[in-house]
Every structure is written in C-alpha cells, then in structure tokens.
Amino acid sequence: MQAPAPTNSGGLDRRTLLLGGASLAGAAGLGAVAQSLIKPTPVFVAAGQRYDGPLHQTIADGLLATGLDPAWLRGRRVLLKPNLVEPSRRIPHMTTHPAMIVAAAEALRRWGARVSVGEAPGHVRDTEMALVESGVAEALRDARIPFADLNYEEVGWRRNRGRFSKLPGIYFPRSVLEADLIVSMPKMKTHHWVGVTCATKNLYGILPGIKYGWPKNVLHHHGIPQTVADIASSAPKTIAIVDGIDCMEGDGPILGSLKHMGLVLVGQSLPSVDATAARIMGLEPTRIEYLHLASRRLGPLDDRRIEQRGEPWRSVADPFQVLDEPHLECLRSTPEERLVT
C-alpha cells in the first residue's frame, strides 16, 4: 500500500477531491461527482485457495498487488482483526479460520511489522472461550502471536468522523488507538439484517463490550448501517484480507450453511473489497445501506471505479442464498434467480 493511507478515508488527496466535488456540484450531484473524481481502487481476488495451502504467499501477493509498500511496514504496529463473533467447533465456517490469521501474520512479519491479534466478540463475554472454540488460541500460541481482548481494554474517545449516526464520538480500545494499521479479516457471509457482512461490518468487533454491551446494543439503537459507517470512518488506517474459502450463506452471520468458494480477497478500501465480495455473492452492493454510506468517505462501490487484480470477480461469482425476506431479496443483483432459504 502506498503509504498506508494517511487516513482510512483513502488519503488526503481523495478527501480534497471529495470536498472539491461537493462545492462544484452541490448537494444534489455530490455522490456522482465525488465518485467520478476518486481514482480507481484496486481489489485482489485469488481463487483455488485452501487452508492447508501457501496462504501467506497469496496474501503477500494480494497486498503487493493492491499497493502495499513493504518498506513502510518495518517496525509498525499491525493489529489483525478476525471475526470470532460466536465461535463453535460445530460451525467453523462462521469465524475466520486460524490458518488465515497465522498466514497474514507471517506475510506481514516478513516485512518487519510487529503483529498482534485483537477481537471484541460481540455475542460472548468470555473471550478466552471464543479463542478456544474457534481454534485461534492454539494457533496464536504456536505462532507466538500476542492477543488483545478488545472487549475489556482501557479505552480512549475519538470524535465521530463519519457523522452518519448521532453519536458524537466513539470509544476505541488502546490496542486499536495505538495501531499503525488495522487489518480487517472477516469471513465472507450473508447477514440476516443487512445482507452482507464482510470487511467493513467486521469493524463492529473492534469496539469494547464494556462500553457498548453485548451484542453492541448501544450501536444497534443508533442504527446498524449508520454506526458501521461511523466506525469505519473514525478508526485508524485499515485494510482488508477476507477469508472467502469456506463461507456462510442463508441465515448468517451465525446460523447459515457452509458454502465453499476457495477465495481470498485483499484491498486497501474496505467498501470496495466488500462491493467485490457482494458481487461475487450475487448481491448488489449499492443497495446495501452501510456500504452506500461508507463509500462516501472510504472508497467506491461502482464496479467501473474498482480495478480488479488477480481473478476477475465475474469468473468466480456464485450467488449465495439469502433468507426469504423482502429486505434481503431486493438486494439480489439477479432477482429472477430466487435463491432463498
């Protein structure tokens, strides 16, 4: 990544262009003008991936293909944020696979980064249990990767830069505030409320339960789409590495079914990575409200503004099932193909 994005909004130049577009076009045409001024964002897709394969090399290839500068990483603090929402040994396709976490750490450590893993599970108060049930505890111990329990760390308050909700500010754990780079490492899944959960929504899990409760009900009361976009806009620099190997479709993010895809996605813009994932899943990202909001600050959803690296998303697209609910069926990019559970 070229200079790890000075901010997670994709850089000062982009923000300047956004503001310039606003003043020229006025409120009515702001979105279209701003999007047209943003330079294309690269997203890397690797197919045919396996948890017992050379994932560290795939991830390194993806990071380089999307503009990561390895020299910048030397000595930097990198926090990997997997999805350990409600781990169960019976449902391994619900949470980020330990092999993905270790592979990402290996790739980044080879470039001199100081890597740790942090998570604030949204549905369980016992983080140690979540680590054991997900298999992550053993993997981190073997690879000697430190872990930060983000649910219970001391916190610091930061102004809400997104301002999509009425929250004036957001409390972040110390490990998040001290990180030079946060890597969102979600599992690619459908979601029974918002359609898709991937890199952007995974950032819900960097907020502390001691401030926002379980499952972050304070945020739910301020609007899930709005608070997802606020967190992504207010967090330190972020990139995405997506576990799209064994995914979840149907009643996600917890009770859905296994869908094998064999994919790894990488990119510096979380909304652009998620837009690519949504298209692969047969869903239209511009109809997903939190992505629509987050794209105003963090990167485009328009397929014409996303440079595909690696495999073209159309070559690996395989529609996911969603629940038979009107608010989800309307998200389908091919509604004539009714894929519901």
Side-chain angles (χ1 to χ4, degrees), residues 83 93-96 185-190 196-199 242-249 257 259 261-265 273-274 276-281 316 318 320:
N83 181 340
H93 51 285
M94 175 172 35
T95 50
T96 307
M185 298 194 65
K187 176 73 83 175
M188 201 164 99
K189 299 185 287 189
T190 53
V196 171
T197 177
C198 201
V242 179
D243 177 359
I245 298 177
D246 284 342
C247 306
M248 178 178 281
E249 65 178 354
S257 304
K259 185 177 182 66
M261 295 293 285
L263 302 177
V264 171
L265 281 68
V273 170
D274 288 356
T276 300
R279 290 187 171 99
I280 291 171
M281 299 164 75
V316 298
D318 186 4
F320 282 37

PDB file of all heavy atoms in Angstrom, residues 83 93-96 185-190 196-199 242-249 257 259 261-265 273-274 276-281 316 318 320:
ATOM      1  N   ASN A  83     -12.888 -12.327  12.628  1.00  0.00           N
ATOM      2  CA  ASN A  83     -14.288 -12.380  13.059  1.00  0.00           C
ATOM      3  C   ASN A  83     -14.471 -13.623  13.919  1.00  0.00           C
ATOM      4  O   ASN A  83     -14.421 -14.749  13.423  1.00  0.00           O
ATOM      5  CB  ASN A  83     -15.215 -12.437  11.844  1.00  0.00           C
ATOM      6  CG  ASN A  83     -16.695 -12.474  12.234  1.00  0.00           C
ATOM      7  OD1 ASN A  83     -17.042 -12.812  13.361  1.00  0.00           O
ATOM      8  ND2 ASN A  83     -17.553 -12.112  11.308  1.00  0.00           N
ATOM      9  N   HIS A  93     -17.349 -22.576   9.711  1.00  0.00           N
ATOM     10  CA  HIS A  93     -17.496 -21.614   8.621  1.00  0.00           C
ATOM     11  C   HIS A  93     -18.115 -20.300   9.097  1.00  0.00           C
ATOM     12  O   HIS A  93     -18.385 -19.422   8.287  1.00  0.00           O
ATOM     13  CB  HIS A  93     -18.337 -22.203   7.492  1.00  0.00           C
ATOM     14  CG  HIS A  93     -19.645 -22.783   7.939  1.00  0.00           C
ATOM     15  ND1 HIS A  93     -19.739 -23.990   8.592  1.00  0.00           N
ATOM     16  CD2 HIS A  93     -20.908 -22.319   7.837  1.00  0.00           C
ATOM     17  CE1 HIS A  93     -20.996 -24.241   8.874  1.00  0.00           C
ATOM     18  NE2 HIS A  93     -21.723 -23.241   8.427  1.00  0.00           N
ATOM     19  N   MET A  94     -18.327 -20.151  10.402  1.00  0.00           N
ATOM     20  CA  MET A  94     -18.869 -18.908  10.949  1.00  0.00           C
ATOM     21  C   MET A  94     -17.760 -17.895  11.238  1.00  0.00           C
ATOM     22  O   MET A  94     -17.998 -16.687  11.212  1.00  0.00           O
ATOM     23  CB  MET A  94     -19.646 -19.208  12.245  1.00  0.00           C
ATOM     24  CG  MET A  94     -20.152 -17.967  12.940  1.00  0.00           C
ATOM     25  SD  MET A  94     -21.251 -18.254  14.347  1.00  0.00           S
ATOM     26  CE  MET A  94     -20.634 -19.723  15.108  1.00  0.00           C
ATOM     27  N   THR A  95     -16.553 -18.371  11.522  1.00  0.00           N
ATOM     28  CA  THR A  95     -15.496 -17.475  12.006  1.00  0.00           C
ATOM     29  C   THR A  95     -14.248 -17.589  11.131  1.00  0.00           C
ATOM     30  O   THR A  95     -14.038 -18.585  10.432  1.00  0.00           O
ATOM     31  CB  THR A  95     -15.133 -17.826  13.459  1.00  0.00           C
ATOM     32  OG1 THR A  95     -14.904 -19.242  13.558  1.00  0.00           O
ATOM     33  CG2 THR A  95     -16.264 -17.455  14.396  1.00  0.00           C
ATOM     34  N   THR A  96     -13.432 -16.560  11.186  1.00  0.00           N
ATOM     35  CA  THR A  96     -12.196 -16.532  10.403  1.00  0.00           C
ATOM     36  C   THR A  96     -11.318 -17.723  10.778  1.00  0.00           C
ATOM     37  O   THR A  96     -11.071 -17.990  11.956  1.00  0.00           O
ATOM     38  CB  THR A  96     -11.429 -15.221  10.671  1.00  0.00           C
ATOM     39  OG1 THR A  96     -12.309 -14.113  10.463  1.00  0.00           O
ATOM     40  CG2 THR A  96     -10.232 -15.106   9.736  1.00  0.00           C
ATOM     41  N   MET A 185     -10.123  -8.822   8.986  1.00  0.00           N
ATOM     42  CA  MET A 185     -10.040 -10.176   8.428  1.00  0.00           C
ATOM     43  C   MET A 185     -11.366 -10.913   8.651  1.00  0.00           C
ATOM     44  O   MET A 185     -11.464 -11.816   9.491  1.00  0.00           O
ATOM     45  CB  MET A 185      -8.882 -10.948   9.074  1.00  0.00           C
ATOM     46  CG  MET A 185      -7.512 -10.335   8.833  1.00  0.00           C
ATOM     47  SD  MET A 185      -6.189 -11.478   9.260  1.00  0.00           S
ATOM     48  CE  MET A 185      -6.429 -12.782   8.056  1.00  0.00           C
ATOM     49  N   PRO A 186     -12.390 -10.558   7.880  1.00  0.00           N
ATOM     50  CA  PRO A 186     -13.700 -11.169   8.102  1.00  0.00           C
ATOM     51  C   PRO A 186     -13.831 -12.518   7.403  1.00  0.00           C
ATOM     52  O   PRO A 186     -13.016 -12.907   6.564  1.00  0.00           O
ATOM     53  CB  PRO A 186     -14.635 -10.162   7.430  1.00  0.00           C
ATOM     54  CG  PRO A 186     -13.823  -9.684   6.257  1.00  0.00           C
ATOM     55  CD  PRO A 186     -12.401  -9.595   6.766  1.00  0.00           C
ATOM     56  N   LYS A 187     -14.879 -13.202   7.764  1.00  0.00           N
ATOM     57  CA  LYS A 187     -15.377 -14.349   6.999  1.00  0.00           C
ATOM     58  C   LYS A 187     -16.430 -13.796   6.039  1.00  0.00           C
ATOM     59  O   LYS A 187     -17.236 -12.933   6.414  1.00  0.00           O
ATOM     60  CB  LYS A 187     -15.998 -15.374   7.941  1.00  0.00           C
ATOM     61  CG  LYS A 187     -16.625 -16.554   7.271  1.00  0.00           C
ATOM     62  CD  LYS A 187     -15.585 -17.502   6.699  1.00  0.00           C
ATOM     63  CE  LYS A 187     -15.046 -18.436   7.749  1.00  0.00           C
ATOM     64  NZ  LYS A 187     -14.110 -19.443   7.170  1.00  0.00           N
ATOM     65  N   MET A 188     -16.446 -14.251   4.795  1.00  0.00           N
ATOM     66  CA  MET A 188     -17.428 -13.783   3.809  1.00  0.00           C
ATOM     67  C   MET A 188     -18.764 -14.483   4.075  1.00  0.00           C
ATOM     68  O   MET A 188     -18.873 -15.691   3.908  1.00  0.00           O
ATOM     69  CB  MET A 188     -16.908 -14.101   2.392  1.00  0.00           C
ATOM     70  CG  MET A 188     -17.518 -13.295   1.293  1.00  0.00           C
ATOM     71  SD  MET A 188     -16.509 -13.409  -0.224  1.00  0.00           S
ATOM     72  CE  MET A 188     -17.421 -14.642  -1.116  1.00  0.00           C
ATOM     73  N   LYS A 189     -19.798 -13.674   4.485  1.00  0.00           N
ATOM     74  CA  LYS A 189     -21.065 -14.284   4.900  1.00  0.00           C
ATOM     75  C   LYS A 189     -22.246 -13.413   4.497  1.00  0.00           C
ATOM     76  O   LYS A 189     -22.114 -12.186   4.378  1.00  0.00           O
ATOM     77  CB  LYS A 189     -21.091 -14.449   6.432  1.00  0.00           C
ATOM     78  CG  LYS A 189     -20.021 -15.330   7.015  1.00  0.00           C
ATOM     79  CD  LYS A 189     -20.197 -15.520   8.511  1.00  0.00           C
ATOM     80  CE  LYS A 189     -19.833 -14.302   9.315  1.00  0.00           C
ATOM     81  NZ  LYS A 189     -19.816 -14.561  10.773  1.00  0.00           N
ATOM     82  N   THR A 190     -23.393 -14.041   4.371  1.00  0.00           N
ATOM     83  CA  THR A 190     -24.638 -13.288   4.309  1.00  0.00           C
ATOM     84  C   THR A 190     -25.021 -12.878   5.734  1.00  0.00           C
ATOM     85  O   THR A 190     -24.539 -13.442   6.713  1.00  0.00           O
ATOM     86  CB  THR A 190     -25.774 -14.125   3.699  1.00  0.00           C
ATOM     87  OG1 THR A 190     -25.876 -15.360   4.422  1.00  0.00           O
ATOM     88  CG2 THR A 190     -25.526 -14.400   2.231  1.00  0.00           C
ATOM     89  N   VAL A 196     -25.071  -8.470   3.790  1.00  0.00           N
ATOM     90  CA  VAL A 196     -23.700  -8.972   3.706  1.00  0.00           C
ATOM     91  C   VAL A 196     -22.929  -8.503   4.928  1.00  0.00           C
ATOM     92  O   VAL A 196     -23.067  -7.352   5.361  1.00  0.00           O
ATOM     93  CB  VAL A 196     -22.986  -8.428   2.444  1.00  0.00           C
ATOM     94  CG1 VAL A 196     -21.493  -8.776   2.461  1.00  0.00           C
ATOM     95  CG2 VAL A 196     -23.639  -8.973   1.180  1.00  0.00           C
ATOM     96  N   THR A 197     -22.097  -9.389   5.483  1.00  0.00           N
ATOM     97  CA  THR A 197     -21.125  -8.962   6.479  1.00  0.00           C
ATOM     98  C   THR A 197     -19.760  -9.361   5.983  1.00  0.00           C
ATOM     99  O   THR A 197     -19.507 -10.524   5.667  1.00  0.00           O
ATOM    100  CB  THR A 197     -21.422  -9.540   7.873  1.00  0.00           C
ATOM    101  OG1 THR A 197     -20.369  -9.132   8.764  1.00  0.00           O
ATOM    102  CG2 THR A 197     -21.539 -11.042   7.863  1.00  0.00           C
ATOM    103  N   CYS A 198     -18.874  -8.362   5.886  1.00  0.00           N
ATOM    104  CA  CYS A 198     -17.535  -8.635   5.374  1.00  0.00           C
ATOM    105  C   CYS A 198     -16.567  -7.656   6.058  1.00  0.00           C
ATOM    106  O   CYS A 198     -16.647  -7.476   7.273  1.00  0.00           O
ATOM    107  CB  CYS A 198     -17.535  -8.515   3.853  1.00  0.00           C
ATOM    108  SG  CYS A 198     -16.167  -9.369   3.030  1.00  0.00           S
ATOM    109  N   ALA A 199     -15.676  -7.006   5.309  1.00  0.00           N
ATOM    110  CA  ALA A 199     -14.594  -6.251   5.951  1.00  0.00           C
ATOM    111  C   ALA A 199     -15.088  -5.027   6.726  1.00  0.00           C
ATOM    112  O   ALA A 199     -14.580  -4.734   7.815  1.00  0.00           O
ATOM    113  CB  ALA A 199     -13.578  -5.824   4.902  1.00  0.00           C
ATOM    114  N   VAL A 242      -9.759 -10.950   3.294  1.00  0.00           N
ATOM    115  CA  VAL A 242     -11.023 -11.656   3.524  1.00  0.00           C
ATOM    116  C   VAL A 242     -10.832 -13.166   3.392  1.00  0.00           C
ATOM    117  O   VAL A 242     -10.264 -13.655   2.409  1.00  0.00           O
ATOM    118  CB  VAL A 242     -12.081 -11.185   2.502  1.00  0.00           C
ATOM    119  CG1 VAL A 242     -13.397 -11.936   2.709  1.00  0.00           C
ATOM    120  CG2 VAL A 242     -12.304  -9.682   2.632  1.00  0.00           C
ATOM    121  N   ASP A 243     -11.346 -13.884   4.408  1.00  0.00           N
ATOM    122  CA  ASP A 243     -11.419 -15.342   4.347  1.00  0.00           C
ATOM    123  C   ASP A 243     -12.678 -15.717   3.561  1.00  0.00           C
ATOM    124  O   ASP A 243     -13.783 -15.758   4.105  1.00  0.00           O
ATOM    125  CB  ASP A 243     -11.487 -15.913   5.767  1.00  0.00           C
ATOM    126  CG  ASP A 243     -11.642 -17.434   5.788  1.00  0.00           C
ATOM    127  OD1 ASP A 243     -11.714 -18.047   4.700  1.00  0.00           O
ATOM    128  OD2 ASP A 243     -11.694 -17.994   6.897  1.00  0.00           O
ATOM    129  N   GLY A 244     -12.480 -15.979   2.262  1.00  0.00           N
ATOM    130  CA  GLY A 244     -13.584 -16.390   1.400  1.00  0.00           C
ATOM    131  C   GLY A 244     -13.418 -17.825   0.935  1.00  0.00           C
ATOM    132  O   GLY A 244     -13.861 -18.171  -0.154  1.00  0.00           O
ATOM    133  N   ILE A 245     -12.751 -18.627   1.751  1.00  0.00           N
ATOM    134  CA  ILE A 245     -12.510 -20.039   1.373  1.00  0.00           C
ATOM    135  C   ILE A 245     -13.752 -20.863   1.716  1.00  0.00           C
ATOM    136  O   ILE A 245     -14.457 -21.325   0.825  1.00  0.00           O
ATOM    137  CB  ILE A 245     -11.235 -20.562   2.058  1.00  0.00           C
ATOM    138  CG1 ILE A 245     -10.022 -19.752   1.575  1.00  0.00           C
ATOM    139  CG2 ILE A 245     -11.056 -22.058   1.739  1.00  0.00           C
ATOM    140  CD1 ILE A 245      -8.717 -20.122   2.232  1.00  0.00           C
ATOM    141  N   ASP A 246     -14.031 -21.068   2.988  1.00  0.00           N
ATOM    142  CA  ASP A 246     -15.299 -21.667   3.409  1.00  0.00           C
ATOM    143  C   ASP A 246     -16.174 -20.536   3.950  1.00  0.00           C
ATOM    144  O   ASP A 246     -15.852 -19.946   4.980  1.00  0.00           O
ATOM    145  CB  ASP A 246     -15.076 -22.729   4.489  1.00  0.00           C
ATOM    146  CG  ASP A 246     -14.522 -24.020   3.907  1.00  0.00           C
ATOM    147  OD1 ASP A 246     -14.632 -24.216   2.681  1.00  0.00           O
ATOM    148  OD2 ASP A 246     -13.955 -24.809   4.678  1.00  0.00           O
ATOM    149  N   CYS A 247     -17.277 -20.263   3.270  1.00  0.00           N
ATOM    150  CA  CYS A 247     -18.112 -19.106   3.578  1.00  0.00           C
ATOM    151  C   CYS A 247     -19.442 -19.556   4.196  1.00  0.00           C
ATOM    152  O   CYS A 247     -19.663 -20.751   4.398  1.00  0.00           O
ATOM    153  CB  CYS A 247     -18.371 -18.305   2.302  1.00  0.00           C
ATOM    154  SG  CYS A 247     -16.846 -17.845   1.427  1.00  0.00           S
ATOM    155  N   MET A 248     -20.309 -18.572   4.471  1.00  0.00           N
ATOM    156  CA  MET A 248     -21.628 -18.879   5.038  1.00  0.00           C
ATOM    157  C   MET A 248     -22.711 -18.195   4.203  1.00  0.00           C
ATOM    158  O   MET A 248     -22.609 -17.008   3.903  1.00  0.00           O
ATOM    159  CB  MET A 248     -21.723 -18.403   6.484  1.00  0.00           C
ATOM    160  CG  MET A 248     -23.103 -18.645   7.116  1.00  0.00           C
ATOM    161  SD  MET A 248     -23.232 -18.137   8.859  1.00  0.00           S
ATOM    162  CE  MET A 248     -22.433 -19.531   9.662  1.00  0.00           C
ATOM    163  N   GLU A 249     -23.751 -18.955   3.837  1.00  0.00           N
ATOM    164  CA  GLU A 249     -24.893 -18.399   3.127  1.00  0.00           C
ATOM    165  C   GLU A 249     -26.175 -18.684   3.918  1.00  0.00           C
ATOM    166  O   GLU A 249     -26.182 -19.472   4.855  1.00  0.00           O
ATOM    167  CB  GLU A 249     -25.011 -19.015   1.724  1.00  0.00           C
ATOM    168  CG  GLU A 249     -25.313 -20.504   1.720  1.00  0.00           C
ATOM    169  CD  GLU A 249     -25.473 -21.073   0.311  1.00  0.00           C
ATOM    170  OE1 GLU A 249     -25.460 -20.298  -0.657  1.00  0.00           O
ATOM    171  OE2 GLU A 249     -25.621 -22.319   0.192  1.00  0.00           O
ATOM    172  N   SER A 257     -25.501 -21.753   6.337  1.00  0.00           N
ATOM    173  CA  SER A 257     -24.922 -23.008   5.853  1.00  0.00           C
ATOM    174  C   SER A 257     -23.562 -22.762   5.202  1.00  0.00           C
ATOM    175  O   SER A 257     -23.286 -21.672   4.696  1.00  0.00           O
ATOM    176  CB  SER A 257     -25.864 -23.651   4.823  1.00  0.00           C
ATOM    177  OG  SER A 257     -27.156 -23.846   5.378  1.00  0.00           O
ATOM    178  N   LYS A 259     -20.774 -22.702   2.500  1.00  0.00           N
ATOM    179  CA  LYS A 259     -20.645 -22.582   1.055  1.00  0.00           C
ATOM    180  C   LYS A 259     -19.157 -22.441   0.739  1.00  0.00           C
ATOM    181  O   LYS A 259     -18.528 -21.441   1.098  1.00  0.00           O
ATOM    182  CB  LYS A 259     -21.413 -21.374   0.518  1.00  0.00           C
ATOM    183  CG  LYS A 259     -21.391 -21.295  -1.018  1.00  0.00           C
ATOM    184  CD  LYS A 259     -22.231 -20.123  -1.503  1.00  0.00           C
ATOM    185  CE  LYS A 259     -22.268 -20.050  -3.029  1.00  0.00           C
ATOM    186  NZ  LYS A 259     -22.971 -21.184  -3.655  1.00  0.00           N
ATOM    187  N   MET A 261     -16.041 -21.569  -1.384  1.00  0.00           N
ATOM    188  CA  MET A 261     -15.715 -20.689  -2.513  1.00  0.00           C
ATOM    189  C   MET A 261     -14.226 -20.731  -2.864  1.00  0.00           C
ATOM    190  O   MET A 261     -13.851 -20.460  -4.003  1.00  0.00           O
ATOM    191  CB  MET A 261     -16.122 -19.252  -2.182  1.00  0.00           C
ATOM    192  CG  MET A 261     -17.620 -19.041  -2.013  1.00  0.00           C
ATOM    193  SD  MET A 261     -18.527 -19.280  -3.558  1.00  0.00           S
ATOM    194  CE  MET A 261     -18.113 -17.762  -4.439  1.00  0.00           C
ATOM    195  N   GLY A 262     -13.364 -21.011  -1.919  1.00  0.00           N
ATOM    196  CA  GLY A 262     -11.925 -21.088  -2.202  1.00  0.00           C
ATOM    197  C   GLY A 262     -11.289 -19.762  -2.570  1.00  0.00           C
ATOM    198  O   GLY A 262     -10.333 -19.728  -3.341  1.00  0.00           O
ATOM    199  N   LEU A 263     -11.784 -18.661  -1.983  1.00  0.00           N
ATOM    200  CA  LEU A 263     -11.315 -17.330  -2.363  1.00  0.00           C
ATOM    201  C   LEU A 263     -10.587 -16.611  -1.221  1.00  0.00           C
ATOM    202  O   LEU A 263     -10.880 -16.837  -0.048  1.00  0.00           O
ATOM    203  CB  LEU A 263     -12.505 -16.458  -2.789  1.00  0.00           C
ATOM    204  CG  LEU A 263     -13.372 -16.967  -3.936  1.00  0.00           C
ATOM    205  CD1 LEU A 263     -14.547 -16.019  -4.164  1.00  0.00           C
ATOM    206  CD2 LEU A 263     -12.544 -17.109  -5.207  1.00  0.00           C
ATOM    207  N   VAL A 264      -9.671 -15.747  -1.608  1.00  0.00           N
ATOM    208  CA  VAL A 264      -9.079 -14.762  -0.703  1.00  0.00           C
ATOM    209  C   VAL A 264      -9.157 -13.412  -1.404  1.00  0.00           C
ATOM    210  O   VAL A 264      -8.776 -13.297  -2.575  1.00  0.00           O
ATOM    211  CB  VAL A 264      -7.618 -15.098  -0.362  1.00  0.00           C
ATOM    212  CG1 VAL A 264      -6.955 -13.941   0.396  1.00  0.00           C
ATOM    213  CG2 VAL A 264      -7.528 -16.375   0.459  1.00  0.00           C
ATOM    214  N   LEU A 265      -9.677 -12.391  -0.704  1.00  0.00           N
ATOM    215  CA  LEU A 265      -9.787 -11.037  -1.249  1.00  0.00           C
ATOM    216  C   LEU A 265      -8.908 -10.104  -0.418  1.00  0.00           C
ATOM    217  O   LEU A 265      -8.854 -10.232   0.816  1.00  0.00           O
ATOM    218  CB  LEU A 265     -11.227 -10.534  -1.200  1.00  0.00           C
ATOM    219  CG  LEU A 265     -12.216 -11.023  -2.276  1.00  0.00           C
ATOM    220  CD1 LEU A 265     -12.519 -12.497  -2.110  1.00  0.00           C
ATOM    221  CD2 LEU A 265     -13.503 -10.223  -2.230  1.00  0.00           C
ATOM    222  N   VAL A 273     -13.595  -3.554  -1.327  1.00  0.00           N
ATOM    223  CA  VAL A 273     -13.430  -5.002  -1.152  1.00  0.00           C
ATOM    224  C   VAL A 273     -14.793  -5.653  -0.925  1.00  0.00           C
ATOM    225  O   VAL A 273     -15.122  -6.682  -1.525  1.00  0.00           O
ATOM    226  CB  VAL A 273     -12.483  -5.300   0.027  1.00  0.00           C
ATOM    227  CG1 VAL A 273     -12.499  -6.783   0.376  1.00  0.00           C
ATOM    228  CG2 VAL A 273     -11.065  -4.852  -0.308  1.00  0.00           C
ATOM    229  N   ASP A 274     -15.602  -5.034  -0.070  1.00  0.00           N
ATOM    230  CA  ASP A 274     -16.929  -5.591   0.220  1.00  0.00           C
ATOM    231  C   ASP A 274     -17.840  -5.553  -1.007  1.00  0.00           C
ATOM    232  O   ASP A 274     -18.664  -6.458  -1.200  1.00  0.00           O
ATOM    233  CB  ASP A 274     -17.586  -4.812   1.362  1.00  0.00           C
ATOM    234  CG  ASP A 274     -16.935  -5.106   2.707  1.00  0.00           C
ATOM    235  OD1 ASP A 274     -16.030  -5.967   2.765  1.00  0.00           O
ATOM    236  OD2 ASP A 274     -17.339  -4.482   3.700  1.00  0.00           O
ATOM    237  N   THR A 276     -16.880  -5.909  -4.070  1.00  0.00           N
ATOM    238  CA  THR A 276     -16.461  -7.033  -4.903  1.00  0.00           C
ATOM    239  C   THR A 276     -16.989  -8.347  -4.328  1.00  0.00           C
ATOM    240  O   THR A 276     -17.486  -9.214  -5.066  1.00  0.00           O
ATOM    241  CB  THR A 276     -14.928  -7.063  -5.009  1.00  0.00           C
ATOM    242  OG1 THR A 276     -14.486  -5.829  -5.591  1.00  0.00           O
ATOM    243  CG2 THR A 276     -14.456  -8.225  -5.862  1.00  0.00           C
ATOM    244  N   ALA A 277     -16.896  -8.501  -3.012  1.00  0.00           N
ATOM    245  CA  ALA A 277     -17.423  -9.715  -2.370  1.00  0.00           C
ATOM    246  C   ALA A 277     -18.925  -9.840  -2.620  1.00  0.00           C
ATOM    247  O   ALA A 277     -19.432 -10.933  -2.924  1.00  0.00           O
ATOM    248  CB  ALA A 277     -17.129  -9.688  -0.873  1.00  0.00           C
ATOM    249  N   ALA A 278     -19.645  -8.731  -2.486  1.00  0.00           N
ATOM    250  CA  ALA A 278     -21.097  -8.776  -2.685  1.00  0.00           C
ATOM    251  C   ALA A 278     -21.436  -9.201  -4.110  1.00  0.00           C
ATOM    252  O   ALA A 278     -22.355 -10.005  -4.321  1.00  0.00           O
ATOM    253  CB  ALA A 278     -21.702  -7.404  -2.376  1.00  0.00           C
ATOM    254  N   ARG A 279     -20.709  -8.676  -5.077  1.00  0.00           N
ATOM    255  CA  ARG A 279     -20.988  -9.063  -6.472  1.00  0.00           C
ATOM    256  C   ARG A 279     -20.710 -10.548  -6.677  1.00  0.00           C
ATOM    257  O   ARG A 279     -21.445 -11.230  -7.394  1.00  0.00           O
ATOM    258  CB  ARG A 279     -20.135  -8.202  -7.415  1.00  0.00           C
ATOM    259  CG  ARG A 279     -20.569  -6.751  -7.450  1.00  0.00           C
ATOM    260  CD  ARG A 279     -19.833  -5.927  -8.509  1.00  0.00           C
ATOM    261  NE  ARG A 279     -20.475  -4.619  -8.605  1.00  0.00           N
ATOM    262  CZ  ARG A 279     -20.012  -3.516  -8.001  1.00  0.00           C
ATOM    263  NH1 ARG A 279     -18.885  -3.562  -7.295  1.00  0.00           N
ATOM    264  NH2 ARG A 279     -20.671  -2.375  -8.119  1.00  0.00           N
ATOM    265  N   ILE A 280     -19.643 -11.045  -6.086  1.00  0.00           N
ATOM    266  CA  ILE A 280     -19.366 -12.484  -6.180  1.00  0.00           C
ATOM    267  C   ILE A 280     -20.520 -13.285  -5.568  1.00  0.00           C
ATOM    268  O   ILE A 280     -20.886 -14.352  -6.060  1.00  0.00           O
ATOM    269  CB  ILE A 280     -18.034 -12.806  -5.470  1.00  0.00           C
ATOM    270  CG1 ILE A 280     -16.853 -12.214  -6.258  1.00  0.00           C
ATOM    271  CG2 ILE A 280     -17.857 -14.314  -5.294  1.00  0.00           C
ATOM    272  CD1 ILE A 280     -15.525 -12.282  -5.526  1.00  0.00           C
ATOM    273  N   MET A 281     -21.132 -12.747  -4.502  1.00  0.00           N
ATOM    274  CA  MET A 281     -22.225 -13.430  -3.801  1.00  0.00           C
ATOM    275  C   MET A 281     -23.576 -13.241  -4.492  1.00  0.00           C
ATOM    276  O   MET A 281     -24.591 -13.746  -4.029  1.00  0.00           O
ATOM    277  CB  MET A 281     -22.309 -12.914  -2.364  1.00  0.00           C
ATOM    278  CG  MET A 281     -21.046 -13.162  -1.545  1.00  0.00           C
ATOM    279  SD  MET A 281     -20.936 -12.179  -0.022  1.00  0.00           S
ATOM    280  CE  MET A 281     -22.106 -13.035   1.022  1.00  0.00           C
ATOM    281  N   VAL A 316     -15.460 -15.914 -10.809  1.00  0.00           N
ATOM    282  CA  VAL A 316     -15.615 -16.715  -9.582  1.00  0.00           C
ATOM    283  C   VAL A 316     -16.978 -16.496  -8.928  1.00  0.00           C
ATOM    284  O   VAL A 316     -17.250 -17.066  -7.868  1.00  0.00           O
ATOM    285  CB  VAL A 316     -14.499 -16.391  -8.572  1.00  0.00           C
ATOM    286  CG1 VAL A 316     -13.134 -16.739  -9.151  1.00  0.00           C
ATOM    287  CG2 VAL A 316     -14.527 -14.919  -8.162  1.00  0.00           C
ATOM    288  N   ASP A 318     -20.658 -16.791  -7.718  1.00  0.00           N
ATOM    289  CA  ASP A 318     -21.518 -17.948  -7.455  1.00  0.00           C
ATOM    290  C   ASP A 318     -22.542 -17.503  -6.405  1.00  0.00           C
ATOM    291  O   ASP A 318     -22.233 -17.469  -5.216  1.00  0.00           O
ATOM    292  CB  ASP A 318     -20.685 -19.120  -6.933  1.00  0.00           C
ATOM    293  CG  ASP A 318     -21.525 -20.384  -6.786  1.00  0.00           C
ATOM    294  OD1 ASP A 318     -22.712 -20.378  -7.159  1.00  0.00           O
ATOM    295  OD2 ASP A 318     -20.967 -21.384  -6.292  1.00  0.00           O
ATOM    296  N   PHE A 320     -24.999 -16.541  -3.515  1.00  0.00           N
ATOM    297  CA  PHE A 320     -25.298 -17.109  -2.203  1.00  0.00           C
ATOM    298  C   PHE A 320     -26.815 -17.086  -1.982  1.00  0.00           C
ATOM    299  O   PHE A 320     -27.514 -16.194  -2.456  1.00  0.00           O
ATOM    300  CB  PHE A 320     -24.644 -16.271  -1.101  1.00  0.00           C
ATOM    301  CG  PHE A 320     -23.178 -16.501  -0.913  1.00  0.00           C
ATOM    302  CD1 PHE A 320     -22.325 -16.738  -1.987  1.00  0.00           C
ATOM    303  CD2 PHE A 320     -22.617 -16.465   0.357  1.00  0.00           C
ATOM    304  CE1 PHE A 320     -20.956 -16.931  -1.811  1.00  0.00           C
ATOM    305  CE2 PHE A 320     -21.255 -16.658   0.558  1.00  0.00           C
ATOM    306  CZ  PHE A 320     -20.426 -16.895  -0.524  1.00  0.00           C
TER     307      PHE A 320
END
